[in-house]
Amino acid sequence: EAQVTQNPRYLITVTGKKLTVTCSQNMNHEYMSWYRQDPGLGLRQIYYSMNVEVTDKGDVPEGYKVSRKEKRNFPLILESPSPNQTSLYFCASSLWGSAVRTGELFFGEGSRLTVL
Amino acid sequence: EDKVVQSPLSLVVHEGDTVTLNCSYEVTNFRSLLWYKQEKKAPTFLFMLTSSGIEKKSGRLSSILDKKELSSILNITATQTGDSAIYLCAVAVGGTSYGKLTFGQGTILTVHP
């Protein structure tokens, strides 16, 4: 089944404790991206990657890191989480050529992160 | 800074009503405008509009891009309770920021029976 898988789905952590949210897709998509969703603010893009070893900042990259060593994986790293990073996080992927024609991003189920 | 604004932020209607959701944008190097529907989980794709394809329709949903006014509308006719969701508008840009997507705040639509 074609899917984007995020882990963990739910996490409660404490300020300053490094964490990684993994994202994996099995559709051979070049494009992957991370978003956070907060009430009243919609989705905001954190980072995106056009292909392996190619990443770029979205609108809200501060406090986050990413890497794209393999095509299928795009982990989101919070080196020193703070309470303002409490949010719902989505990973998404697309065949970018396909996205140009259809605009279809495939989203993961979301990861709800709470930083105390 | 790229900006996408949706209105209204929330809307409550009854089944059978027609609704119009708005999305306006200010971006550098516009490439396409996207509409997504988000129910309880992840957003799902509805439409993409570009300079070469300014109107799309699927069943009771339709969308138009106004390139002059830098805006788009999403129309839903004969609404049903299953249309209750958050509707998200996003703009993709080209040039050196190819791959960057800016979303609006979303419109929360509630359809009562």
Side-chain angles (χ1 to χ4, degrees), chain B residues 2 5 7 10-13 23 27 39 42-43 45 47 50 55 73-74 77 91 95-96 101 104 106:
Chain B
D2 296 334
V5 176
S7 64
S10 66
L11 189 56
V12 179
V13 300
C23 175
V27 301
E39 295 176 84
F45 173 74
F47 299 118
T50 66
E55 186 168 357
I73 60 170
L74 176 68
T77 60
V91 173
T96 56
L101 269 180

Side-chain angles (χ1 to χ4, degrees), chain A residues 63-74:
Chain A
Y64 304 94
K65 285 174 61 176
V66 293
S67 67
R68 188 91 183 274
K69 294 185 171 62
E70 307 167 278
K71 198 172 189 179
R72 64 183 293 129
N73 295 322
F74 191 44

